[in-house]
Amino acid sequence: MLGCGVRRWETLLGAEAVGRFVSGIVGVVRALRAERADDGPFMPATCCRLTGHECALVGLIGRGRRRLWGEVERGAAAITGRPEAPRLVAALRAAVGPIDEAAGRLGASKRRPVGAALH
């Protein structure tokens, strides 16, 4: 998703903002891979469906965006299969600002209606 449309993302967000957004997401993914007890099933970037693990990660990012850090810590531990996941929590803390900035620029601050499809 991010790699094939970088120019479009830069047009929508601006080069600086898209750089912060991408580096934030990459940091989360790298932290998750470093702290996971196993590989976990993830779909290819070209797939429009999500695995349960990916849904859990999206939920975790959402709790981070709402600054529910206690829930983020517990969720990060659960998603990694470890007692705690400080690297993932730190990556999420670093990523929420750029994610919020991107959402604001894209007008995504409006909530998705309950039951609406994600794609």
Side-chain angles (χ1 to χ4, degrees), residues 2 8-9 13 19-20 26 30 32-33 35 40-41 54 56 59-60 69-70 72 87 89 103-104 106:
L2 293 175
R8 179 180 162 132
W9 281 95
L13 299 176
R20 287 189 298 272
V26 168
R30 289 178 57 96
L32 178 61
R33 286 184 176 164
E35 289 186 323
E54 290 168 328
L60 195 60
W69 299 117
V72 169
R87 186 172 173 178
V89 171
L106 296 174

PDB file of all heavy atoms in Angstrom, residues 2 8-9 13 19-20 26 30 32-33 35 40-41 54 56 59-60 69-70 72 87 89 103-104 106:
ATOM      1  N   LEU A   2       1.845   1.298   0.852  1.00  0.00           N
ATOM      2  CA  LEU A   2       2.647   2.511   0.946  1.00  0.00           C
ATOM      3  C   LEU A   2       3.651   2.635  -0.185  1.00  0.00           C
ATOM      4  O   LEU A   2       3.892   3.719  -0.682  1.00  0.00           O
ATOM      5  CB  LEU A   2       3.381   2.556   2.284  1.00  0.00           C
ATOM      6  CG  LEU A   2       2.507   2.701   3.512  1.00  0.00           C
ATOM      7  CD1 LEU A   2       3.353   2.603   4.761  1.00  0.00           C
ATOM      8  CD2 LEU A   2       1.740   3.991   3.492  1.00  0.00           C
ATOM      9  N   ARG A   8       1.637   9.679  -4.743  1.00  0.00           N
ATOM     10  CA  ARG A   8       0.265  10.073  -4.384  1.00  0.00           C
ATOM     11  C   ARG A   8       0.203  10.446  -2.904  1.00  0.00           C
ATOM     12  O   ARG A   8      -0.421  11.427  -2.526  1.00  0.00           O
ATOM     13  CB  ARG A   8      -0.708   8.960  -4.710  1.00  0.00           C
ATOM     14  CG  ARG A   8      -2.111   9.347  -4.326  1.00  0.00           C
ATOM     15  CD  ARG A   8      -3.095   8.271  -4.623  1.00  0.00           C
ATOM     16  NE  ARG A   8      -4.258   8.608  -3.826  1.00  0.00           N
ATOM     17  CZ  ARG A   8      -5.467   8.631  -4.261  1.00  0.00           C
ATOM     18  NH1 ARG A   8      -5.710   8.314  -5.478  1.00  0.00           N
ATOM     19  NH2 ARG A   8      -6.466   8.958  -3.480  1.00  0.00           N
ATOM     20  N   TRP A   9       0.845   9.641  -2.059  1.00  0.00           N
ATOM     21  CA  TRP A   9       0.869   9.956  -0.622  1.00  0.00           C
ATOM     22  C   TRP A   9       1.550  11.303  -0.396  1.00  0.00           C
ATOM     23  O   TRP A   9       1.106  12.090   0.434  1.00  0.00           O
ATOM     24  CB  TRP A   9       1.597   8.855   0.155  1.00  0.00           C
ATOM     25  CG  TRP A   9       0.748   7.647   0.378  1.00  0.00           C
ATOM     26  CD1 TRP A   9       0.710   6.509  -0.385  1.00  0.00           C
ATOM     27  CD2 TRP A   9      -0.210   7.458   1.407  1.00  0.00           C
ATOM     28  NE1 TRP A   9      -0.200   5.638   0.127  1.00  0.00           N
ATOM     29  CE2 TRP A   9      -0.781   6.192   1.227  1.00  0.00           C
ATOM     30  CE3 TRP A   9      -0.645   8.244   2.470  1.00  0.00           C
ATOM     31  CZ2 TRP A   9      -1.759   5.682   2.074  1.00  0.00           C
ATOM     32  CZ3 TRP A   9      -1.617   7.738   3.318  1.00  0.00           C
ATOM     33  CH2 TRP A   9      -2.162   6.467   3.106  1.00  0.00           C
ATOM     34  N   LEU A  13      -0.280  14.248   1.528  1.00  0.00           N
ATOM     35  CA  LEU A  13       0.202  14.598   2.861  1.00  0.00           C
ATOM     36  C   LEU A  13       1.341  15.600   2.878  1.00  0.00           C
ATOM     37  O   LEU A  13       1.576  16.246   3.894  1.00  0.00           O
ATOM     38  CB  LEU A  13       0.678  13.341   3.601  1.00  0.00           C
ATOM     39  CG  LEU A  13      -0.356  12.248   3.842  1.00  0.00           C
ATOM     40  CD1 LEU A  13       0.304  11.042   4.489  1.00  0.00           C
ATOM     41  CD2 LEU A  13      -1.503  12.762   4.685  1.00  0.00           C
ATOM     42  N   GLY A  19       6.941  11.167   5.086  1.00  0.00           N
ATOM     43  CA  GLY A  19       8.163  10.563   5.620  1.00  0.00           C
ATOM     44  C   GLY A  19       8.005  10.187   7.084  1.00  0.00           C
ATOM     45  O   GLY A  19       8.389   9.091   7.503  1.00  0.00           O
ATOM     46  N   ARG A  20       7.415  11.076   7.873  1.00  0.00           N
ATOM     47  CA  ARG A  20       7.178  10.776   9.294  1.00  0.00           C
ATOM     48  C   ARG A  20       6.190   9.630   9.454  1.00  0.00           C
ATOM     49  O   ARG A  20       6.368   8.751  10.290  1.00  0.00           O
ATOM     50  CB  ARG A  20       6.674  12.027  10.026  1.00  0.00           C
ATOM     51  CG  ARG A  20       7.743  13.074  10.238  1.00  0.00           C
ATOM     52  CD  ARG A  20       7.260  14.193  11.147  1.00  0.00           C
ATOM     53  NE  ARG A  20       6.124  14.932  10.602  1.00  0.00           N
ATOM     54  CZ  ARG A  20       6.226  15.979   9.803  1.00  0.00           C
ATOM     55  NH1 ARG A  20       7.416  16.420   9.438  1.00  0.00           N
ATOM     56  NH2 ARG A  20       5.141  16.603   9.360  1.00  0.00           N
ATOM     57  N   VAL A  26       6.866   1.862   9.861  1.00  0.00           N
ATOM     58  CA  VAL A  26       7.994   0.930   9.750  1.00  0.00           C
ATOM     59  C   VAL A  26       8.541   0.611  11.144  1.00  0.00           C
ATOM     60  O   VAL A  26       8.848  -0.540  11.453  1.00  0.00           O
ATOM     61  CB  VAL A  26       9.094   1.498   8.829  1.00  0.00           C
ATOM     62  CG1 VAL A  26      10.389   0.702   8.939  1.00  0.00           C
ATOM     63  CG2 VAL A  26       8.601   1.515   7.390  1.00  0.00           C
ATOM     64  N   ARG A  30       8.779  -3.130  12.639  1.00  0.00           N
ATOM     65  CA  ARG A  30      10.080  -3.675  13.062  1.00  0.00           C
ATOM     66  C   ARG A  30      10.061  -4.081  14.534  1.00  0.00           C
ATOM     67  O   ARG A  30      10.589  -5.121  14.907  1.00  0.00           O
ATOM     68  CB  ARG A  30      11.191  -2.658  12.797  1.00  0.00           C
ATOM     69  CG  ARG A  30      11.495  -2.496  11.310  1.00  0.00           C
ATOM     70  CD  ARG A  30      12.572  -1.449  11.072  1.00  0.00           C
ATOM     71  NE  ARG A  30      13.793  -1.749  11.789  1.00  0.00           N
ATOM     72  CZ  ARG A  30      14.845  -2.380  11.269  1.00  0.00           C
ATOM     73  NH1 ARG A  30      14.809  -2.747  10.018  1.00  0.00           N
ATOM     74  NH2 ARG A  30      15.911  -2.605  11.990  1.00  0.00           N
ATOM     75  N   LEU A  32       7.418  -4.951  16.256  1.00  0.00           N
ATOM     76  CA  LEU A  32       6.567  -6.135  16.362  1.00  0.00           C
ATOM     77  C   LEU A  32       7.339  -7.383  15.954  1.00  0.00           C
ATOM     78  O   LEU A  32       7.315  -8.395  16.653  1.00  0.00           O
ATOM     79  CB  LEU A  32       5.322  -5.964  15.484  1.00  0.00           C
ATOM     80  CG  LEU A  32       4.354  -7.145  15.454  1.00  0.00           C
ATOM     81  CD1 LEU A  32       3.814  -7.435  16.849  1.00  0.00           C
ATOM     82  CD2 LEU A  32       3.221  -6.866  14.491  1.00  0.00           C
ATOM     83  N   ARG A  33       8.050  -7.308  14.851  1.00  0.00           N
ATOM     84  CA  ARG A  33       8.832  -8.470  14.397  1.00  0.00           C
ATOM     85  C   ARG A  33       9.930  -8.831  15.392  1.00  0.00           C
ATOM     86  O   ARG A  33      10.222  -9.999  15.607  1.00  0.00           O
ATOM     87  CB  ARG A  33       9.445  -8.183  13.037  1.00  0.00           C
ATOM     88  CG  ARG A  33       8.426  -8.236  11.930  1.00  0.00           C
ATOM     89  CD  ARG A  33       9.076  -8.050  10.587  1.00  0.00           C
ATOM     90  NE  ARG A  33       8.086  -8.211   9.535  1.00  0.00           N
ATOM     91  CZ  ARG A  33       8.255  -7.830   8.296  1.00  0.00           C
ATOM     92  NH1 ARG A  33       9.398  -7.258   7.929  1.00  0.00           N
ATOM     93  NH2 ARG A  33       7.316  -8.011   7.404  1.00  0.00           N
ATOM     94  N   GLU A  35       9.888  -8.370  18.668  1.00  0.00           N
ATOM     95  CA  GLU A  35       9.394  -8.843  19.960  1.00  0.00           C
ATOM     96  C   GLU A  35       8.406 -10.002  19.885  1.00  0.00           C
ATOM     97  O   GLU A  35       8.112 -10.599  20.913  1.00  0.00           O
ATOM     98  CB  GLU A  35       8.755  -7.673  20.733  1.00  0.00           C
ATOM     99  CG  GLU A  35       9.797  -6.694  21.203  1.00  0.00           C
ATOM    100  CD  GLU A  35       9.252  -5.603  22.100  1.00  0.00           C
ATOM    101  OE1 GLU A  35       8.126  -5.123  21.870  1.00  0.00           O
ATOM    102  OE2 GLU A  35       9.968  -5.202  23.024  1.00  0.00           O
ATOM    103  N   GLY A  40       3.768 -15.137  13.188  1.00  0.00           N
ATOM    104  CA  GLY A  40       2.404 -14.623  13.037  1.00  0.00           C
ATOM    105  C   GLY A  40       2.005 -14.523  11.586  1.00  0.00           C
ATOM    106  O   GLY A  40       2.826 -14.214  10.724  1.00  0.00           O
ATOM    107  N   PRO A  41       0.747 -14.792  11.296  1.00  0.00           N
ATOM    108  CA  PRO A  41       0.289 -14.728   9.899  1.00  0.00           C
ATOM    109  C   PRO A  41      -0.064 -13.306   9.483  1.00  0.00           C
ATOM    110  O   PRO A  41      -0.854 -12.633  10.136  1.00  0.00           O
ATOM    111  CB  PRO A  41      -0.965 -15.615   9.917  1.00  0.00           C
ATOM    112  CG  PRO A  41      -1.482 -15.504  11.309  1.00  0.00           C
ATOM    113  CD  PRO A  41      -0.264 -15.302  12.189  1.00  0.00           C
ATOM    114  N   GLU A  54      -3.424  -8.963  12.263  1.00  0.00           N
ATOM    115  CA  GLU A  54      -3.403  -7.610  11.709  1.00  0.00           C
ATOM    116  C   GLU A  54      -4.517  -6.759  12.308  1.00  0.00           C
ATOM    117  O   GLU A  54      -4.301  -5.581  12.618  1.00  0.00           O
ATOM    118  CB  GLU A  54      -3.525  -7.672  10.182  1.00  0.00           C
ATOM    119  CG  GLU A  54      -2.279  -8.244   9.528  1.00  0.00           C
ATOM    120  CD  GLU A  54      -2.470  -8.591   8.062  1.00  0.00           C
ATOM    121  OE1 GLU A  54      -3.592  -8.974   7.664  1.00  0.00           O
ATOM    122  OE2 GLU A  54      -1.493  -8.475   7.314  1.00  0.00           O
ATOM    123  N   ALA A  56      -5.715  -7.130  15.294  1.00  0.00           N
ATOM    124  CA  ALA A  56      -5.264  -6.810  16.652  1.00  0.00           C
ATOM    125  C   ALA A  56      -4.272  -5.651  16.627  1.00  0.00           C
ATOM    126  O   ALA A  56      -4.315  -4.770  17.492  1.00  0.00           O
ATOM    127  CB  ALA A  56      -4.638  -8.045  17.306  1.00  0.00           C
ATOM    128  N   GLY A  59      -6.161  -2.435  16.041  1.00  0.00           N
ATOM    129  CA  GLY A  59      -6.799  -2.055  17.300  1.00  0.00           C
ATOM    130  C   GLY A  59      -5.814  -1.446  18.275  1.00  0.00           C
ATOM    131  O   GLY A  59      -6.125  -0.473  18.972  1.00  0.00           O
ATOM    132  N   LEU A  60      -4.628  -2.014  18.311  1.00  0.00           N
ATOM    133  CA  LEU A  60      -3.575  -1.501  19.193  1.00  0.00           C
ATOM    134  C   LEU A  60      -3.165  -0.077  18.786  1.00  0.00           C
ATOM    135  O   LEU A  60      -2.996   0.798  19.637  1.00  0.00           O
ATOM    136  CB  LEU A  60      -2.370  -2.448  19.141  1.00  0.00           C
ATOM    137  CG  LEU A  60      -1.321  -2.320  20.208  1.00  0.00           C
ATOM    138  CD1 LEU A  60      -1.907  -2.552  21.590  1.00  0.00           C
ATOM    139  CD2 LEU A  60      -0.198  -3.311  19.944  1.00  0.00           C
ATOM    140  N   TRP A  69      -2.496   4.233  27.154  1.00  0.00           N
ATOM    141  CA  TRP A  69      -1.197   3.582  27.214  1.00  0.00           C
ATOM    142  C   TRP A  69      -1.194   2.309  28.049  1.00  0.00           C
ATOM    143  O   TRP A  69      -0.454   1.377  27.731  1.00  0.00           O
ATOM    144  CB  TRP A  69      -0.129   4.579  27.651  1.00  0.00           C
ATOM    145  CG  TRP A  69      -0.029   5.707  26.676  1.00  0.00           C
ATOM    146  CD1 TRP A  69      -0.281   7.023  26.914  1.00  0.00           C
ATOM    147  CD2 TRP A  69       0.279   5.612  25.278  1.00  0.00           C
ATOM    148  NE1 TRP A  69      -0.135   7.752  25.754  1.00  0.00           N
ATOM    149  CE2 TRP A  69       0.201   6.909  24.735  1.00  0.00           C
ATOM    150  CE3 TRP A  69       0.599   4.568  24.427  1.00  0.00           C
ATOM    151  CZ2 TRP A  69       0.448   7.184  23.393  1.00  0.00           C
ATOM    152  CZ3 TRP A  69       0.849   4.842  23.091  1.00  0.00           C
ATOM    153  CH2 TRP A  69       0.777   6.128  22.589  1.00  0.00           C
ATOM    154  N   GLY A  70      -1.996   2.230  29.090  1.00  0.00           N
ATOM    155  CA  GLY A  70      -2.096   0.985  29.855  1.00  0.00           C
ATOM    156  C   GLY A  70      -2.642  -0.140  28.988  1.00  0.00           C
ATOM    157  O   GLY A  70      -2.128  -1.269  29.009  1.00  0.00           O
ATOM    158  N   VAL A  72      -2.490  -0.179  25.731  1.00  0.00           N
ATOM    159  CA  VAL A  72      -1.472  -0.431  24.709  1.00  0.00           C
ATOM    160  C   VAL A  72      -0.415  -1.387  25.265  1.00  0.00           C
ATOM    161  O   VAL A  72      -0.024  -2.339  24.595  1.00  0.00           O
ATOM    162  CB  VAL A  72      -0.822   0.882  24.222  1.00  0.00           C
ATOM    163  CG1 VAL A  72       0.418   0.608  23.375  1.00  0.00           C
ATOM    164  CG2 VAL A  72      -1.829   1.703  23.424  1.00  0.00           C
ATOM    165  N   ARG A  87       9.550  -2.376  23.392  1.00  0.00           N
ATOM    166  CA  ARG A  87       9.967  -1.820  22.105  1.00  0.00           C
ATOM    167  C   ARG A  87       8.745  -1.485  21.243  1.00  0.00           C
ATOM    168  O   ARG A  87       8.693  -0.436  20.606  1.00  0.00           O
ATOM    169  CB  ARG A  87      10.877  -2.819  21.395  1.00  0.00           C
ATOM    170  CG  ARG A  87      11.470  -2.299  20.123  1.00  0.00           C
ATOM    171  CD  ARG A  87      12.494  -3.266  19.581  1.00  0.00           C
ATOM    172  NE  ARG A  87      12.945  -2.833  18.278  1.00  0.00           N
ATOM    173  CZ  ARG A  87      13.864  -3.448  17.571  1.00  0.00           C
ATOM    174  NH1 ARG A  87      14.442  -4.523  18.052  1.00  0.00           N
ATOM    175  NH2 ARG A  87      14.214  -3.005  16.396  1.00  0.00           N
ATOM    176  N   VAL A  89       5.666  -0.860  22.377  1.00  0.00           N
ATOM    177  CA  VAL A  89       4.983   0.274  23.017  1.00  0.00           C
ATOM    178  C   VAL A  89       5.691   1.583  22.655  1.00  0.00           C
ATOM    179  O   VAL A  89       5.045   2.572  22.297  1.00  0.00           O
ATOM    180  CB  VAL A  89       4.895   0.081  24.543  1.00  0.00           C
ATOM    181  CG1 VAL A  89       4.378   1.346  25.226  1.00  0.00           C
ATOM    182  CG2 VAL A  89       4.013  -1.114  24.885  1.00  0.00           C
ATOM    183  N   ALA A 103      -3.961  11.493   9.422  1.00  0.00           N
ATOM    184  CA  ALA A 103      -5.422  11.373   9.472  1.00  0.00           C
ATOM    185  C   ALA A 103      -6.077  12.744   9.380  1.00  0.00           C
ATOM    186  O   ALA A 103      -7.078  12.915   8.679  1.00  0.00           O
ATOM    187  CB  ALA A 103      -5.843  10.658  10.756  1.00  0.00           C
ATOM    188  N   GLY A 104      -5.511  13.714  10.069  1.00  0.00           N
ATOM    189  CA  GLY A 104      -6.054  15.068  10.013  1.00  0.00           C
ATOM    190  C   GLY A 104      -5.967  15.664   8.622  1.00  0.00           C
ATOM    191  O   GLY A 104      -6.911  16.304   8.147  1.00  0.00           O
ATOM    192  N   LEU A 106      -5.901  14.033   5.857  1.00  0.00           N
ATOM    193  CA  LEU A 106      -6.767  13.289   4.944  1.00  0.00           C
ATOM    194  C   LEU A 106      -8.241  13.429   5.292  1.00  0.00           C
ATOM    195  O   LEU A 106      -9.099  12.869   4.618  1.00  0.00           O
ATOM    196  CB  LEU A 106      -6.377  11.803   4.940  1.00  0.00           C
ATOM    197  CG  LEU A 106      -4.977  11.499   4.412  1.00  0.00           C
ATOM    198  CD1 LEU A 106      -4.660  10.025   4.592  1.00  0.00           C
ATOM    199  CD2 LEU A 106      -4.857  11.901   2.958  1.00  0.00           C
TER     200      LEU A 106
END
